[in-house]
Amino acid sequence: MLKTKWFTLLIVLSLFLVGCGQEIKDPVSWEIEDFTFTNQNNEDVGLADLQGEVWLADFVFTNCTTVCLPMMANMTALQEQLKQEGLDVRIVSFSVDPTIDTPEVLKSYAENYGADLSSWDLLTGYSPEEIDAFAMENFKVVARKPANEDQVIHGTSFNLVDKDGVVRKFYDGIDPPTEEIISDIKILLAEE
């Protein structure tokens, strides 16, 4: 009987230690510079507001006729899954076409997808040149609108940011590996 209890205890401890040792596979470490932009409610949102939280970031625009459509649908579905799992994660979408994407336009756009705006900020309030530089410096993607075009060339990744404001991993936003994203989020939420 005593051997059985010790054996059970060893198995439980082994499983616990395996869970504690989980790490994100193929991580990156891109520190995000301080920023303060305007969200869909005309409120300032910045890096300081996201301190201590795990968040997902992407780059979209409301006038997009291609990649943003599946990206928004995928992020909305991911947000719903995160809520069902009880995972407290913020979402931040940076508009790459700020001349068109006013707070009001962004709010309407997100509502059309059924986004829960209580934990999702869609940001604007900068110049096209500023968001292009910000995207490249912090997320290693372009956000450039060619002259005389209405479409913007931009990155399509979902970026996972830790509680310290560091991008730890990025994923395909058009065909996201949802289970991997959720697993990685759980790892980051468990970090002190």
Side-chain angles (χ1 to χ4, degrees):
M1 183 78 164
L2 190 58
K3 282 184 178 180
T4 306
K5 285 183 181 180
W6 277 109
F7 183 71
T8 304
L9 180 62
L10 283 174
I11 289 176
V12 169
L13 283 173
S14 298
L15 291 173
F16 176 74
L17 291 173
V18 168
C20 288
Q22 287 186 327
E23 292 183 10
I24 293 176
K25 292 181 181 153
D26 303 319
V28 296
S29 183
W30 304 331
E31 199 167 319
I32 297 176
E33 68 188 40
D34 192 25
F35 68 87
T36 301
F37 301 135
T38 305
N39 76 0
Q40 70 276 3
N41 297 319
N42 262 310
E43 301 165 337
D44 285 347
V45 174
L47 188 59
D49 300 302
L50 299 165
Q51 273 307 105
E53 298 197 50
V54 172
W55 47 290
L56 286 165
D58 67 354
F59 294 86
V60 296
F61 66 109
T62 62
N63 198 34
C64 182
T65 59
T66 58
V67 295
C68 299
L69 305 171
M71 287 175 65
M72 282 296 293
N74 292 336
M75 189 66 90
T76 304
L78 182 56
Q79 182 185 45
E80 187 57 36
Q81 269 194 273
L82 292 168
K83 283 169 46 179
Q84 288 174 4
E85 297 232 8
L87 300 174
D88 186 19
V89 177
R90 296 269 299 264
I91 298 172
V92 179
S93 292
F94 297 91
S95 169
V96 295
D97 198 3
T99 54
I100 291 175
D101 291 344
T102 63
E104 298 74 24
V105 168
L106 288 170
K107 186 172 190 172
S108 174
Y109 181 68
E111 287 173 344
N112 285 339
Y113 280 93
D116 177 358
L117 296 179
S118 67
S119 60
W120 192 333
D121 290 293
L122 291 93
L123 301 181
T124 189
Y126 34 74
S127 71
E129 295 76 22
E130 287 171 319
I131 192 59
D132 186 26
F134 179 82
M136 182 56 71
E137 290 167 18
N138 296 280
F139 296 92
K140 315 303 182 223
V141 296
V142 298
R144 196 160 300 139
K145 189 173 190 177
N148 304 316
E149 295 281 334
D150 68 344
Q151 296 296 293
V152 180
I153 299 166
H154 65 92
T156 59
S157 56
F158 289 173
N159 300 274
L160 180 58
V161 184
D162 70 16
K163 297 174 185 178
D164 296 320
V166 176
V167 178
R168 296 281 292 277
K169 192 157 182 178
F170 60 94
Y171 315 87
D172 181 352
I174 297 170
D175 186 19
T178 304
E179 294 309 313
E180 180 183 353
I181 294 171
I182 290 173
S183 175
D184 290 344
I185 285 170
K186 288 177 180 177
I187 292 168
L188 291 188
L189 287 171
E191 289 181 354
E192 289 298 321

